[in-house]
Amino acid sequence: MRFGAYTAVLHDRPLAEVLGLLRELGLDSAEVNSGGFLPAPHLPIATLRTSADARSEYLGLFADHGITLTALNCNGNPLHADPEVRGKHAADVREAIELAALLGVRRVVTMSGLPGTDPGAALPAWTVLPWDSAYLDARDYQWNSVALPYWRDIQVRAAAADVHVCIEMHPHNIVYNPATMLRLAESINATHVAAEMDPSHLFWQGIDPVAAIGALGDLVRNAAAKDTRINPAALVNGVLDDRHSRVAAGSPGAVSLGGRYTLSAWPENSSWDFVAVGRGHDTAFWTRFLAALRAVDPDMAVNIEHEDAELGQREGLAFAARTLLECAGPLDRATV
């Protein structure tokens, strides 16, 4: 297996410095952003698309640091009801597939997207627990009229490029758990649309990521390492906690998500938080998790995604790297 990091957390540092830091931490894999919600400071897209020499030099930088570029990350909402967001994010995914093929990278990570509830909708809406048939009507429109046509096209493009598009099962998307991942894969006869196993979003939904790997099998083709801590507030408010607040575009610390939309502020006394690997679940879990991934693919890349607000960039990456490498040790010894 390869262990590395998604470099977005180090967006303010040059790529060479980032790769050196990953190597210092004992890591040998990197995943870089290629568009979607975030810019791509570590990927000169226009130059790489047009110049074979630039691609060779770029990949050589990774090789010089003993790091393999294992995935491009293009998380966004390619099905957004707002055409300004939908158009850019959908185009970014298509471009990521083409660029990954040029670079010899066989994984693109993205989200499945979330449309509006009907053709006249102006905003996306997450349709879950459809106890009222109105919600089934919305779900049918989202899947049959928007999602499936888009993802059938992505399947064709990915197969032609021999690039596997790995979907992060993320709430507020049509694919957010194994059942919806399997539904999509079966509906489009997927060969090159697959799953990224990020356990953090499964934890707070009450899903056991190891059981999820068992259900998805070889549909899992990439993995993220991010932990979640369930807090005491969940005993009162549950995990469906909507106490986020608005962050105005252009204000200090505002993070654009495309168009006029921004990342909301996290609630105080939250029901759950993203934390560094090992700060939400112990090493016994992470050892089982890595063993389950290895059983699917011994060459699986597992890249740390650092979103622990209580730890700094290097501190959080170092904590997660130590946990992963510690948990991988018994697996390595078991194969000797």
Side-chain angles (χ1 to χ4, degrees):
M1 300 179 78
R2 291 191 177 276
F3 299 99
Y6 175 34
T7 67
V9 68
L10 299 169
H11 62 90
D12 56 340
R13 305 188 188 197
L15 180 58
E17 181 182 340
V18 170
L19 297 178
L21 173 58
L22 299 189
R23 190 69 253 182
E24 287 176 24
L25 296 177
L27 303 173
D28 62 1
S29 169
E31 180 177 320
V32 301
N33 205 68
S34 62
F37 289 134
L38 301 176
H42 296 147
L43 191 71
I45 295 172
T47 302
L48 295 176
R49 282 180 63 87
T50 58
S51 170
D53 287 343
R55 293 192 293 273
S56 178
E57 182 178 350
Y58 181 74
L59 293 172
L61 183 61
F62 287 81
D64 289 345
H65 288 87
I67 304 290
T68 298
L69 176 59
T70 53
L72 304 184
N73 187 302
C74 198
N75 277 336
N77 186 353
L79 308 181
H80 203 292
D82 186 329
E84 181 180 1
V85 180
R86 179 178 68 246
K88 178 186 183 301
H89 290 187
D92 285 352
V93 174
R94 293 190 292 267
E95 184 174 61
I97 294 169
E98 296 170 3
L99 182 55
L102 288 171
L103 289 168
V105 175
R106 295 302 170 206
R107 300 290 184 268
V108 168
V109 176
T110 191
M111 295 174 182
S112 59
L114 182 66
T117 57
D118 60 83
L123 296 170
W126 193 31
T127 303
V128 294
L129 195 62
W131 60 271
D132 181 326
S133 65
Y135 307 131
L136 289 174
D137 291 344
R139 188 187 69 182
D140 288 348
Y141 167 76
Q142 291 177 315
W143 277 82
N144 298 333
S145 298
V146 184
L148 293 182
Y150 172 81
W151 280 103
R152 287 190 180 107
D153 177 69
I154 293 298
Q155 158 62 28
V156 170
R157 293 171 183 269
D162 193 22
V163 169
H164 296 263
V165 179
C166 302
I167 294 175
E168 180 177 350
M169 293 175 284
H170 194 299
H172 288 277
N173 283 262
I174 61 159
V175 170
Y176 56 90
N177 63 9
T180 48
M181 183 69 242
L182 289 166
R183 182 189 305 163
L184 179 64
E186 292 165 1
S187 296
I188 65 173
N189 297 314
T191 60
H192 286 69
V193 172
E196 187 207 31
M197 178 50 62
D198 180 341
S200 64
H201 303 290
L202 304 184
F203 284 137
W204 71 259
Q205 295 183 76
I207 298 169
D208 177 354
V210 175
I213 295 169
L216 293 169
D218 62 6
L219 199 59
V220 178
R221 296 184 198 154
N222 201 70
K226 187 169 71 168
D227 208 343
T228 301
R229 181 184 63 218
I230 308 299
N231 297 325
L235 296 174
V236 177
N237 295 315
V239 296
L240 297 178
D241 187 352
D242 77 340
R243 294 172 297 133
H244 296 68
S245 55
R246 190 179 303 277
V247 177
S251 63
V255 177
S256 173
L257 296 180
R260 59 188 176 89
Y261 310 102
T262 60
L263 183 67
S264 302
W266 202 251
E268 295 182 10
N269 189 28
S270 54
S271 291
W272 52 270
D273 293 294
F274 294 129
V275 291
V277 175
R279 297 189 69 224
H281 293 78
D282 61 18
T283 55
F285 165 78
W286 287 100
T287 300
R288 289 194 303 115
F289 178 74
L290 295 179
L293 290 174
R294 176 168 287 187
V296 172
D297 179 2
D299 296 323
M300 183 85 66
V302 184
N303 291 319
I304 297 164
E305 186 174 357
H306 175 45
E307 293 187 12
D308 190 328
E310 298 168 353
L311 299 178
Q313 292 174 321
R314 185 186 178 100
E315 182 186 14
L317 284 174
F319 191 102
R322 285 195 300 271
T323 303
L324 281 181
L325 295 176
E326 176 186 346
C327 294
L331 303 177
D332 291 335
R333 289 192 291 273
T335 61
V336 174

